[in-house]
Each structure stands twice: as C-alpha cells, then as structure tokens.
Amino acid sequence: MYLCQTNNYLAHRERLSLSPTAIYAGLRLLESRGANLAGIQRLWGFQLTTINQPHLRLPAFLNRRFWDLVAELDEDPAIGLAMARPADLGQMPGVSYLMQLMPTRLEALHCMQRFWPLVAAHIGLSLERSGDRVHLGLASASKLQLTPTELDYWFARQIRYLRSWLCAPDPVLEVCMSRPAPADTGPWDRLAGRPVHFSAGHNALLLDYDALCHARPAGPARVQLALAESLDAYARQTAGGNLLEVASSAILHGLQGGISLEALAERLHMTARTLNRALLREGWTFSGLIDVHRRYLAQDLLQDHSLTVADVADQLGYHEINSLIRAIRRWYGTTPTALRGSGSGLPADEDSLVHSAQHSSSES
Amino acid sequence: MMLSVGDRPGPPRSTLATVVRCIARTLDAEFGIAPQRLLAEVGIPPDVLQDDELRLPLPDLSRLWRRCEEATKEPSFGMRVARHVVPGDVYGIDLALYTSSTLEEAVRRFAQFLALLTTVSVGQFRQDADGDWHLGYEVASECPPTDSARDFFIFAQIHLFERQCHLSAPQFLRRIELTRTAPADCATFQSLGVDVVFDQPASGMLFKGATWQRPLLGANPQLLAQVEQPILEYLARLGAPLPLSALRARLVDRLAEPPSAAAFAQRLGMTRLQLEQSLLDQHVTFAQLLDQTREIQALRLLATPDLSLDQVSLRVGYRNTSSLIRAFRRWRGITPASYRKQCCSRDTKP
C-alpha cells in the first residue's frame, strides 16, 4: 500500500537541483577536521561565500563534484556518516524543524516527503507501507548516480532524525544500501545498530510502523503554518532556477540527442554570446559543462552492466566509440573496462564488455 | 488557576506551560516516576501537557518544582530538565536563534522574545571592562521562583545557545551565575566546563567578548522573518512589548506599498490601539518605525551595486529619487550616491 508519493513542487522535481543547506553541516565538519576551505572552494569551482544565500539552488553536478571532493580529501571512508552528525534545525530550508513539530515520526516522514523536492530534487524519495513495515527508499532521480559518500550522508541523517526523539522506541529494523561493503563495516554497523545489507540493489530503510506511530504532543500549529508558508515562498522564489542549473539540466536531458550552445541560447531567449558570457560569470564554459556531465555520466553508466560501451557512448552523445575511450583516458587515465570494474563492488564481465565494444566499433 | 493567552498581563507572572512537558519527560525517563500522579498532587490538570499555547502562573509551577525536588531528592533536578527541551516546546524561538546572523543577535533575540516563555524574569545586557557581555535576569515578582526553576531557566537557555549556534558552552561563556546556595556536589553544576558561581543576587551569565559577534552559519533572514510571525502574534496577544527589530523585518517586504498601522496590526493579530501602545512603550510611533525600516533597507539595497537609484527608491517606497535623496540626507547627512561610493571603495580595498 502506498502511503503517499512525492507529487508536490513539480517545478523543482524536474530540475535536479538541491538546497545547499544539505551540505552546510558537512562543510563545517570538514573545517573542524582541519580541511582548508579555500582549497575546497578552488577544487570545487564554487564560491563558498555564496552558499549561505537563502535562495541558492545547487545543480546536481556541482553536488556530485562536492561529494567526490569530500571522498578524495578526507581519508576516513565513513566521512559521509560523520558529516550527518551536527543536528541542524534550519537544514533543508526549515523542513527539519517542521518535522520536529509533528506528533509522530510517521507524520514527520510524510512532511519530509511533501517538501522533499525543495530539499534535494536530485534524489527521489519514496515511502511505502506493507503490513507492520514502512519502507523509506532513496534513489537518484536522474542518470547521475549518488556516490557512496553522499548516500551514507542521507542515510545517516534519516537514522539520526528517527533516533532523535527522546524516550521513543527505535523504529529502524534494517538498512539496505546499494553501495559495496566498505573494508571495515564497523562505523555503519554502529550507526544502524541493526543489520546493514550492502550491494543491495536498492537504497532503503526498513522501519517499524508501530514505533513510527509513537506519539508525543505536536508543536504549535501556528509555528507549523508559518514554516509551511515559508517553504511555499521558498518554492516560488526558486521556481525559475539559476542559469547554471537550467544549463546543467538541459545538458543532462539533451546529451543523447545532441545539444548545442545555440539551441540552449535560443530556448533561453538570448544570443549564444550572451549565454556564454553569463556562464563565464559563473566560472564555466558551455563545453566545460558538457565535459563535466559526460565525465560523471560515463562513470555511472558503465556501472550498469546491461549497457555496452557503445550504448554508453551513444547516451553521452558521442558518434564514435573511440571518442568515449579517449575521453575516459583523459578523465580517469584508464579504459572503460577498468573503470567499469573499479567503481562498483560487482565484478565486471570483461569478456562481454570487450566483445560488445569491438562489435560496436566495427559497426560505427 | 490557569491563564489563557488573552488574559491581561501584569501582576500574575506566567510561564509557557510546555515547561510541564519537559518536567514530565524528565520524571518519566530519568527517575521512573509517573508524571500524571505528581501533576494531580499539585493540582495541574493533565491536559496541560497537550496544549502548546497555555500559560501557568508562577505559584502553580513553584508547587510543581518543589514537589519534584521532594520526589526525586535531586539537587540538580532543574539542570536535568533543561536537557529535555525539544523544538516543539519553545514556540519556534530556537529556530529564530538558529537563523540569526551572529551569536550576539541570537542572544539578544532570545532576551527580546523571553516574555513568550516567561514573564517572571527580564534580561538586561551590559558590557564589562574586559569586553565581555553580561546578561543578568531580574525577577519581576515578589515571590521568587524555586532553585530548580531558576537552574532550569539558565541551563535550558545555555543548551539552546549551544545547539542553535553550534558552539559548546566553554567557547562562548566565561561564567554562570546562580542565586542558589552552593550545593554539596558542585561538580554536577560545573559539568558544562564553565565556571559556576553561587549565592549571587541575580541569575545571569557572562559571554566571552571574543565570540560574542561570531557569525552563525544558519543565518537566513527570510526564514527568520517567517518564524518570527507567530512569535510576534503571541507576544501581541500576551500584551508584551513587540521587539522593534522583528517588526521592521515584517515591514521590509511591504515598503513599496506600506500598510497602514491598522492593517499592520491586524496582520499581527492585534488592534491598532494595542500596536500603538506597544510602540509608545518603546518611545516610537508607527511612522518612525516605517522610516527606520526604510533607512535600513535603503542602506542594504545601496550596497548591492546592480540596483539603480530609481529601483532603490521604489523598493523602499519613494516615488522618485529626489524623495529618496531628501530622506537619505536626513538619515545620514549625505546623498545615496556618495554613500554607495563609500561602500564600494571599502569593498574593493585589499
């Protein structure tokens, strides 16, 4: 039985962007561990001073870049779990606080689901009940996958919230994560305190329905209303999306069919020159944007073993498979086969990969 | 006797009844005592636990605190309860602190909104010779609250500041001042890692000058203005003074077509007379409040280089630039253009 599906804020759902409040806490933790924020800013290509602007939306590719950077900079493999530790009421533009005012955690989860596209539209969130279990699922809303570090972060946030209620029963029963098992599962086991299944094929928390229904007095109705209004205002004010977001979204959707600067400019009712200048102000060129999207998508799509290298090249808008092979050498210093094997816990089926690659390239 | 929000303030000092929830949670979780029985003994009906706007007069709460001290035999009971405050208990004030721009702003905001939580105490700020800031609480009642209640009051707000400003108490506090006599076990009271002094004439705390103006990462004026709305409405119903900064924040987005005093009062859930009385208590008129808001907003907008003077004029509610220039001369003694030049040259200096 479906409890509810995310069906609000369509403008945000289709846009693949998120509220950067999600990563404030993470930045703060990195800083406390001695990370150099100026260095992060340089590598990330994003102005940290602007991250506090209330109406800023972070395009999914910049979010991806952030989590890659975190995994590179910090040696702790469980950094994603640690980043969820500071409990931030203002996080997720006020949704965290609103959840605290709900009379039960089940209602809090519904509330989170309602406002989820404003929080992190690049992730789809589902809430399903079957019998005495509630299934809280997370999945990427686009071809751009979530890195293990980011998934760790969102899981840890949910678990910490569900356990933040004083004197309430623990609703967490099981944790399923698509990520491969880390060398030391200790931090994950300690966080969950329940069975954790890695390489699970999906990302979900299994929760106990009765525990979620444990009630406490709700917070003031007037405060709830003010927050809901504030979130609606946030949705209106961010409905248009900034240029980088619009461009990134267009590229994500348009790579396969081919997308050009001119076509995007026309859609935005501006000249190609104006568009390029505007992108430059954000620190990007159009071709740079295409490249960074292809780079992440190549890595992600190669993890899907039902796709041949030729399929991947096609989805990325390459006419020649060799262009993809050259690009992967440039980005990752390796071959598509090796990349496919390295990024996932699943063994790469090398024979079929090589075979299909040769097959396709002889065709093209 | 219970007071509803609409009752006349003044002599019967009252406290938001959600404190009873915190006490009930603590009794239940830490002492295994069923709270309903204790509440019944001191004559507090159990439905108090469900209401988040209700207030209780000081004598009722004092009876409850004393009964809890007897039942638990715990000298630091008030401190224990302070750890059981959850977001639903403080009417959004914790979020208002979180969204403040600096620690100073958050602490001052807490003192301004305090009447919502309790009218028993009033906070006073003063800076000492070393640059530290002292927040002292005067008890505005003949019969003082119990030791536990006063411990709760101080430690609950310290926890609020810690959580909402992401600082630990020793980072921002130099000293905690309590009125109680020194207990046999001082260590519990020192457990935050901050020096505690006892037998003081009034409760209070000393903030370190070094972290007083520390910027907060959660700063979010939009969310703040939104969450201040129900707080202001509550203060208005209570007849408590309305913080001018919060009123200005409500006016900022409406300057282009400013509301009348009556319309603005209505939005706050009060009559025009109540609004004007509250302003009068703070020695301003509605016209002055509007003027102050225009000034602050004009300064803010002029610091944004991509807005023309025309746009700034319209956004702060002037028909044309010459009205803005006249008003600006009155506020600052210079023209908006030269103010902007000063701002920009300051920004570009290395």
Side-chain angles (χ1 to χ4, degrees), chain A residues 251-271:
Chain A
I251 290 170
L252 264 176
H253 291 126
L255 266 184
Q256 188 165 13
I259 179 159
S260 66
L261 176 69
E262 289 71 24
L264 179 61
E266 199 180 318
R267 237 173 70 192
L268 298 172
H269 309 291
M270 49 170 88
T271 65

Side-chain angles (χ1 to χ4, degrees), chain B residues 16-259:
Chain B
L16 193 66
T18 51
V19 62
V20 179
R21 287 185 194 172
C22 308
I23 293 175
R25 263 179 233 132
T26 314
L27 288 173
D28 193 16
E30 295 197 23
F31 298 93
I33 298 175
Q36 282 76 8
R37 189 174 53 83
L38 271 189
L39 292 182
E41 281 173 27
V42 295
I44 294 179
D47 48 355
V48 163
L49 293 171
Q50 302 304 322
D51 196 316
D52 44 48
E53 302 215 340
L54 197 75
R55 304 182 75 80
L56 286 171
L58 179 60
D60 286 22
L61 280 172
S62 293
R63 274 205 306 281
L64 176 61
W65 282 110
R66 270 193 295 272
R67 183 69 193 90
C68 291
E69 287 164 28
E70 284 166 25
T72 62
K73 302 186 181 59
E74 175 55 64
S76 63
F77 182 71
M79 267 188 88
R80 297 277 197 99
V81 180
R83 294 199 176 276
H84 286 265
V85 179
V86 302
D89 297 335
V90 290
Y91 216 79
I93 289 180
D94 44 359
L95 187 59
L97 304 187
Y98 175 88
T99 49
S100 299
S101 304
T102 62
L103 177 64
E104 171 180 11
E105 201 189 298
V107 175
R108 286 189 186 275
R109 184 157 281 129
F110 178 80
Q112 287 174 341
F113 290 155
L114 180 62
L116 192 159
L117 299 176
T118 181
T119 53
V120 172
S121 292
V122 179
Q124 291 288 347
F125 289 96
R126 69 179 158 74
Q127 191 173 25
D128 70 13
D130 301 327
D132 288 343
W133 281 88
H134 184 265
L135 169 57
Y137 285 105
E138 243 174 78
V139 171
S141 160
E142 298 86 51
C143 56
T146 66
D147 283 348
S148 302
R150 301 180 93 164
D151 293 344
F152 166 76
F153 176 66
I154 292 294
F155 284 100
Q157 57 183 284
I158 293 175
H159 291 318
L160 271 183
F161 298 146
E162 280 189 304
R163 270 206 305 273
Q164 302 318 322
C165 305
H166 288 283
L167 295 166
S168 66
Q171 286 178 289
F172 63 92
L173 279 186
R174 195 170 306 285
R175 192 169 66 234
I176 298 169
E177 297 160 354
L178 302 178
T179 49
R180 63 152 59 243
T181 53
D185 167 29
C186 281
T188 312
F189 286 84
Q190 313 274 8
S191 60
L192 290 184
V194 178
D195 187 28
V196 181
V197 290
F198 300 94
D199 298 297
Q200 297 298 302
S203 313
M205 56 194 88
L206 190 62
F207 289 88
K208 291 181 176 173
T211 42
W212 181 239
Q213 290 185 327
R214 185 165 170 137
L216 302 183
L217 270 171
N220 184 339
Q222 275 81 3
L223 186 53
L224 175 63
Q226 208 74 35
V227 75
E228 274 183 339
Q229 172 77 22
I231 298 174
L232 280 176
E233 287 171 14
Y234 191 103
L235 289 172
R237 291 197 297 282
L238 193 61
L242 303 176
L244 297 181
S245 60
L247 290 178
R248 287 193 291 258
R250 302 300 314 158
L251 279 172
V252 145
D253 294 331
R254 304 196 171 75
L255 287 177
E257 284 172 60

Side-chain angles (χ1 to χ4, degrees), chain A residues 231-348:
Chain A
L231 284 160
D232 282 341
Y234 173 82
R236 280 195 303 279
Q237 273 148 349
T238 56
N242 65 31
L243 182 69
L244 208 50
E245 233 194 280
V246 174
S248 157
S249 203
I251 290 170
L252 264 176
H253 291 126
L255 266 184
Q256 188 165 13
I259 179 159
S260 66
L261 176 69
E262 289 71 24
L264 179 61
E266 199 180 318
R267 237 173 70 192
L268 298 172
H269 309 291
M270 49 170 88
T271 65
R273 226 171 95 92
T274 314
L275 175 58
N276 227 352
R277 264 208 309 271
L279 287 173
L280 272 176
R281 270 202 297 277
E282 307 266 348
W284 291 90
T285 61
F286 185 73
S287 54
L289 278 177
I290 298 255
D291 195 65
V292 70
H293 282 86
R294 278 179 166 159
R295 180 172 130 203
Y296 291 137
L297 283 176
Q299 191 184 20
D300 292 350
L301 292 172
L302 281 171
Q303 304 314 318
D304 181 346
H305 287 248
S306 66
L307 295 178
T308 64
V309 175
D311 293 337
V312 173
D314 178 54
Q315 289 211 22
L316 298 183
Y318 286 116
H319 298 304
E320 299 277 343
I321 196 165
N322 283 331
S323 313
L324 173 64
I325 293 171
R326 269 199 307 277
I328 287 181
R329 175 145 297 133
R330 177 163 56 84
W331 295 321
Y332 300 106
T334 185
T335 63
T337 322
L339 188 62
R340 176 168 278 193
S342 69
S344 135
L346 302 169

Side-chain angles (χ1 to χ4, degrees), chain A residues 94-169:
Chain A
V95 180
S96 295
Y97 193 80
L98 192 51
M99 286 170 72
Q100 291 282 355
L101 302 183
M102 294 294 130
T104 67
R105 283 167 294 180
L106 187 64
E107 280 177 72
L109 291 180
H110 281 306
C111 168
M112 174 171 77
Q113 191 183 33
R114 173 177 164 206
F115 293 109
W116 187 256
L118 305 182
V119 175
H122 69 304
I123 301 177
L125 183 113
S126 65
L127 201 55
E128 271 173 63
R129 178 186 170 189
S130 69
D132 54 1
R133 298 258 175 127
V134 172
H135 184 277
L136 176 67
L138 297 177
S140 170
S142 73
K143 285 188 239 167
L144 207 55
Q145 291 305 311
L146 307 168
T147 68
T149 314
E150 184 180 8
L151 270 171
D152 286 347
Y153 169 80
W154 289 109
F155 266 97
R157 278 199 64 81
Q158 307 296 350
I159 293 175
R160 284 187 191 286
Y161 167 73
L162 291 166
R163 299 242 172 92
S164 69
W165 279 37
L166 301 166
C167 316

Side-chain angles (χ1 to χ4, degrees), chain A residues 76-91:
Chain A
D76 179 1
I79 178 75
L81 303 180
M83 285 169 76
R85 186 153 310 160
D88 250 346
L89 284 183
Q91 269 201 352

